[in-house]
């Protein structure tokens, strides 16, 4: 890929510091990085390691308290540090483009898409109809099917995927030589993410631009990039071709990061995920020796005193004294779990025909339609589906936060639950608790951790005084917090620790069922692994059942015994986790699985869903999935809604295609995918 | 516990170099020139109200008909009024009544407004609709009319002024609190409280209230400026603070007929006093607003 004709981007010994509380704190430390012409370079690392700072430094767009304290940046042979105001503006306008994580914030909400796009051409001296034509051509290029009408719309009238396409179109409008993508798909659904990634891959073939691709998602980077650099505490710790780094890592940090991901269909009863102990050094921390030494089980005294150089291992680099042993890194978390023999017992939760209809502008919005599931003690029901599929509404119905329509029933341990929270007994309320997605919203920021958990113990467990204190100690230890975390307010804790507090609070009343609504989606992979282990441990200890909502299929698969796939509020497929994942599955499940970028395979047979999930106010007639279904068989799909039919014992699929036929159609894909 | 990621590996909660949000606001106020200037002016008038009577050259209430309407001079720095009272002494101690009535009225408005705002924002729906419409109707009536009615009904007293201004301002504070509560209401910690069967009272006052303190503080300081102005206006019109208080509004009211005769000093200094106090409070309010919205 790399041509020898000069590099698109060269960072040499780049150091960047942020001034916090009157002191310069190093964020990037002597970073060397080269991106060749036409190359796609991936930068990975946990949050706080300096990935975005790299992107901002390239165009000298650091926040006001940030400054480049040393080194040089060369863009297409041009020294960025030496550019004056006007030249810098031209470089930003002509040769570099950026696409950010949240397209909703990158687009101006009060200007039409057309105006925002043509503006870029006007800056380049093209105006009027010519600019409009170019803008339409640009939208065509990012595969927007009806560009003329999109030009007339405002950003909020487009879906997230469409917005990101527009943002990419804007970035490509001036035909940049360098394209910086900073977590471009992080906020998107898996199916939309797949589309956007496909688009970027396709555009790469058409354009000459070099790409700096920043992501915390290793699988995405492995799919998109030629070479990859692993950033840790502002230093490059490993660099090499994507193949080499991900399949044969030579730095303990990379090894550990890769082990945190549930891979190859790993499940909770097969072992715990590995974690990375400790935490990333804070910004500006004084680092002697290897930055990762404190968290590395292989570290010796040499690692703690002597900064390892970037050892050249023949076309790849590793900043580890013991790079040849890196893969021998012992697990931080023992894998083995005590095998739990599950007695077949009565369901703890039985939901029958649950519906929820909202009135939306005179139309009925069926957020949840005719959902029936049951859950046994100590088991996990995974809920998957794109956003808008009704996962969270279903969870809120169960909890009584939102009353369901008349007719359905929710039974907890055989007793029918009142639809409204106010009418449920204290025992029923404490039996079903929730861990919310965003701990910043779920934990009251005015209260100390002690107050947050004590209050839950008081209300849910009815404890007072010494008994409360004893249970509090036990509870915080079971989520692996310590006494010193009790005195602080939530904002003083990291995301992972906050989520532990939320879990402790949910477990205060010894619940029978805990709803986990995307509990790890805001967390780094190493923290996610620790939280998933914690949930799995608590489950085997307390025999609690989970309803686990996540868009990350790997995570759902790890924790779930049963899976329900939701689409437009309906269950499309329901069955044991293994059966749903290994197939034959519903075409929608098939598409969801196919959309997930995977680390351990280079290319799969790809099924892509066109367009967006239809509006729930106007669901398509017949099978609701027929408008996007890659395996649609004909008129019957458009006229008749298929029933949720049991294909195998315990495994139901809502599809007109017979089970055997699905098995035949999906056979090649199923073989390619290790179960 | 089979698997462990050791608690020992966790960092101590980050206390060093970080202050609580309220402390942050406090330090930012100390750096704000606007706030400090405003605070200086207000403190000056408070000091005058508290200790002024011990330092003023004359008894602010003592008349001296022979020296009536004397222009500013070495003996009477700000001159004398129509019955010979020393204007300087009267201006210095004239802040006493306004500085008790206006803050108390603001306090009443804040307490009532916060309660109403929490109530309407928390319950939403029909409760909110009814109360909000009533409050809006209330806001449409000018303070002076309410004051007139109240005085007819209750008679003139400081209490009447406090109640009238407090209740007139309460809907405005209620509106601010309500919108802040509506935003908080959507956060998951409120759902978490419901899932503990907390009472509405607990959720409103223990869970939500601490998080809406910043907008309440800002609104209160802004309202204090308006309250001072309102008290001065009511006193000027005769519905507020009553004679023989040396109150500024009252002094202007009893002397403004003299301006035509060229006796400007009987009115000017009281007017300037009101102006400086209002400006001082507004500067402080600006500073508070800035500190919370950085």
């Amino acid at each position: 890929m790399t041509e020898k004709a000069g590099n698109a981007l060269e960072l040499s010994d780049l150091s960047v510091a942020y001034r916090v509380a009157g002191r310069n704190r190093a964020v990037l430390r002597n970073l060397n990085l080269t991106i060749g012409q036409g190359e796609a370079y991936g930068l990975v690392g946990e949050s706080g390691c300096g990935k975005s700072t790299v992107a901002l430094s390239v165009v000298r767009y650091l926040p006001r308290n940030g400054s480049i304290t040393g080194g040089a940046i060369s863009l297409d042979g041009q020294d960025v540090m030496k550019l004056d105001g006007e030249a810098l503006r031209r470089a930003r306008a002509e040769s570099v483009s950026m696409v950010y994580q949240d397209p909703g914030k990158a687009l101006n909400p009060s200007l039409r898409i057309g105006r925002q796009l043509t503006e870029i051409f006007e800056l380049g001296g093209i105006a009027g109809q010519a600019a409009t034509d170019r803008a339409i051509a640009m939208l065509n290029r990012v595969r927007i099917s009806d560009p003329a009408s999109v030009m007339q719309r405002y950003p909020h009238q487009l879906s997230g995927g469409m917005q990101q396409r527009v943002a990419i179109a804007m970035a490509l409008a001036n035909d940049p030589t360098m394209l910086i993508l900073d977590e471009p798909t992080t906020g998107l659904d898996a199916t939309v993410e797949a589309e956007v990634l496909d688009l970027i891959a396709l555009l790469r073939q058409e354009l000459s631009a070099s790409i700096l691709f920043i992501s915390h998602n290793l699988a995405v980077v492995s799919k998109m990039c030629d070479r990859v650099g692993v950033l840790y505490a502002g230093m490059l710790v490993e660099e090499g071709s994507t193949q080499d780094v991900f399949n044969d890592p030579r730095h303990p940090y990379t090894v550990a990061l890769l082990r945190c991901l549930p891979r190859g269909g790993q499940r909770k009863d097969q072992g715990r995920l590995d974690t990375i102990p400790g935490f990333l050094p804070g910004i500006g921390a004084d680092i002697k020796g290897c930055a990762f030494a404190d968290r590395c089980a292989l570290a010796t005294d040499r690692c703690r005193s002597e900064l390892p150089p970037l050892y050249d291992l023949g076309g790849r680099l590793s900043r580890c004294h013991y790079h040849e042993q890196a893969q021998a890194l012992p697990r931080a978390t023992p894998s083995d779990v005590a095998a739990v023999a599950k007695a077949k017992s009565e369901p703890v939760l039985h939901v029958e025909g649950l519906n929820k209809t909202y009135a939306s502008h005179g139309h009925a919005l069926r957020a949840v339609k005719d959902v029936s599931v049951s859950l046994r003690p100590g088991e996990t029901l995974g809920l998957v589906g794109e956003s808008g599929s009704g996962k969270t509404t279903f969870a809120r119905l169960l909890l009584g936060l939102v009353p369901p329509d008349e007719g359905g029933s929710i039974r907890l341990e055989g007793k029918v639950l009142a639809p409204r929270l106010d009418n449920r007994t204290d025992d029923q309320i404490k039996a079903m608790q929730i861990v919310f997605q965003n701990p910043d919203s779920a934990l009251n920021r005015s209260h100390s951790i002690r107050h947050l958990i004590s209050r839950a113990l008081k209300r849910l467990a009815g404890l007072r005084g010494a008994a409360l204190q004893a249970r509090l100690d036990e509870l915080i230890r079971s989520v692996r917090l310590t006494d010193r975390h009790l005195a602080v307010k939530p904002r003083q804790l990291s995301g992972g620790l906050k989520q532990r507090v939320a879990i402790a609070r949910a477990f205060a009343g010894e619940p029978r069922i805990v709803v986990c609504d995307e509990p790890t989606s805001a967390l780094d992979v190493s923290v996610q692994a620790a939280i998933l282990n914690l949930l799995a441990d608590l489950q085997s200890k307390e025999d609690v059942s989970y309803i686990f909502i996540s868009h990350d299929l790997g995570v759902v698969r790890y924790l779930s015994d049963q899976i329900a796939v939701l689409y437009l509020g309906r269950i499309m497929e329901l069955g044991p986790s293994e059966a749903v994942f290994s197939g034959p599955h519903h075409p929608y499940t098939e598409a969801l699985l196919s959309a997930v970028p995977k680390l351990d395979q280079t290319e799969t047979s790809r099924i892509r869903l066109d367009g967006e999930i239809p509006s729930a106010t106007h669901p398509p007639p017949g099978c609701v999935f027929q408008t996007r279904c890659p395996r649609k068989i004909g008129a019957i799909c458009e006229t008749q809604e298929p029933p949720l039919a049991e294909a195998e014992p315990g495994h139901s699929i809502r599809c007109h295609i017979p089970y055997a036929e699905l098995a035949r159609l999906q056979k090649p894909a199923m073989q390619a995918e290790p179960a | 516990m089979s698997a462990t990621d050791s608690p020992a590996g966790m960092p101590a909660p980050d206390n060093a170099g970080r202050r609580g949000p309220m402390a942050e606001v406090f330090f930012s106020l100390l750096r704000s020139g606007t706030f400090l200037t405003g605070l200086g002016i207000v403190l000056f008038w408070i000091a005058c109200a508290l200790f002024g009577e011990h330092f003023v050259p004359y008894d602010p209430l003592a008349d001296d008909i022979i020296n009536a309407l004397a222009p500013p001079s070495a003996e009477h720095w700000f001159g004398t009024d129509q019955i010979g009272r020393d204007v300087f002494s009267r201006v210095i101690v004239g802040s006493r009544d306004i500085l008790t009535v206006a803050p108390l009225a603001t306090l009443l408005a804040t307490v009532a407004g916060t309660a109403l705002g929490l109530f309407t924002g928390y319950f939403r729906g029909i409760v909110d609709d009814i109360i909000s419409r009533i409050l809006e109707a209330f806001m449409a009536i000018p303070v002076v009319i309410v004051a007139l009615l109240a005085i007819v009904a209750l008679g003139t007293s400081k209490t009447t002024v406090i109640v009238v201004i407090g209740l007139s301002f309460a809907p405005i504070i209620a509106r601010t609190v309500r919108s802040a509560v509506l935003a908080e209401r959507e956060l998951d910690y409120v759902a978490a409280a419901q899932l503990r069967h907390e009472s509405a009272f607990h959720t409103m006052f223990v869970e939500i209230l601490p998080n809406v303190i910043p907008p309440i503080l800002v609104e209160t300081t802004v309202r204090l400026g308006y309250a001072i102005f309102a008290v001065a206006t009511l006193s000027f019109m005769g519905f507020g603070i009553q004679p023989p208080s040396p109150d500024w509004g009252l002094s202007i009211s009893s002397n403004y007929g003299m301006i035509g005769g060229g006796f400007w000093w009987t009115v000017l200094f009281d007017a300037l006093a009101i102006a400086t106090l209002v400006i001082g409070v507004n500067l402080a309010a600006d500073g508070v607003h800035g500190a919370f919205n950085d």
Side-chain angles (χ1 to χ4, degrees), chain B residues 133-149:
Chain B
R133 292 303 89 73
I134 294 173
L135 293 182
E136 276 161 21
F138 211 67
M139 276 192 272
I141 309 171
V143 180
V144 177
I145 311 248
V146 181
L148 254 170
L149 292 172

Side-chain angles (χ1 to χ4, degrees), chain B residues 25 28-30 32-36 38 218 221 280-294:
Chain B
V25 166
S28 136
L29 279 178
L30 289 187
S32 154
T34 316
F35 175 76
L36 292 179
V218 171
T221 43
V281 171
N282 281 349
L283 286 175
D286 241 28
V288 172
H289 182 79
F292 277 116
N293 292 286
D294 264 347

Side-chain angles (χ1 to χ4, degrees), chain A residues 287-477:
Chain A
I287 297 172
K288 274 206 296 205
C290 173
F292 188 60
D294 290 343
R295 305 171 71 184
C296 179
L298 294 172
T300 63
D301 286 344
R302 183 180 171 208
C303 298
R304 280 181 264 277
S305 58
E306 184 192 333
L307 175 69
L310 269 173
Y311 291 99
D312 190 337
L313 315 175
R316 55 184 303 191
L317 306 166
S318 166
R319 194 185 284 280
C320 178
H321 289 306
Y322 305 105
H323 48 84
E324 68 285 349
Q325 307 169 15
Q327 288 173 34
L329 179 77
R331 287 183 59 102
T333 310
S335 162
D336 42 293
V337 287
V340 195
K342 249 178 228 143
K344 284 275 175 202
S345 45
E346 285 304 297
V348 59
L349 179 76
H350 191 80
V351 178
E352 191 70 52
L354 204 62
N355 283 289
K356 177 66 192 175
T357 313
Y358 290 103
S360 158
H361 302 289
H363 292 284
L365 190 158
R366 311 289 302 261
V368 169
K369 183 162 185 279
D370 202 18
V371 169
S372 304
V373 290
S374 62
L375 183 61
R376 273 195 289 271
E379 285 197 349
T380 303
L381 171 69
L383 293 183
V384 297
E386 292 164 281
S387 37
S389 59
K391 306 186 297 278
T392 298
T393 306
F394 176 67
R396 292 188 163 250
L397 293 178
L398 289 184
L399 291 164
L401 291 170
V402 178
D405 297 350
E406 304 251 323
S409 73
I410 305 170
R411 279 171 207 274
L412 180 73
E413 295 178 316
K415 291 200 191 64
V416 176
L417 284 184
R420 281 177 185 280
L421 197 54
D422 298 341
N423 305 331
R424 295 187 184 176
T425 66
D426 284 347
D427 277 345
Q428 289 170 335
I429 281 181
K430 77 177 193 187
M432 210 177 336
Q433 288 290 315
I434 181 170
V435 177
F436 291 100
Q437 173 174 9
N438 180 358
D440 290 321
S441 165
L443 303 178
N444 192 333
R445 59 192 183 278
S446 296
H447 294 162
S448 69
I449 305 304
R450 180 186 297 280
H451 177 98
L452 288 168
I453 302 178
S454 305
R455 184 75 197 171
L457 284 169
K458 200 166 167 182
R459 296 291 304 175
L460 297 174
L463 295 173
R464 297 278 185 283
L468 188 148
Q469 191 56 44
R471 177 79 180 111
L472 176 68
D473 286 343
E474 188 190 336
L475 193 59
I476 60 165
R477 252 169 267 301

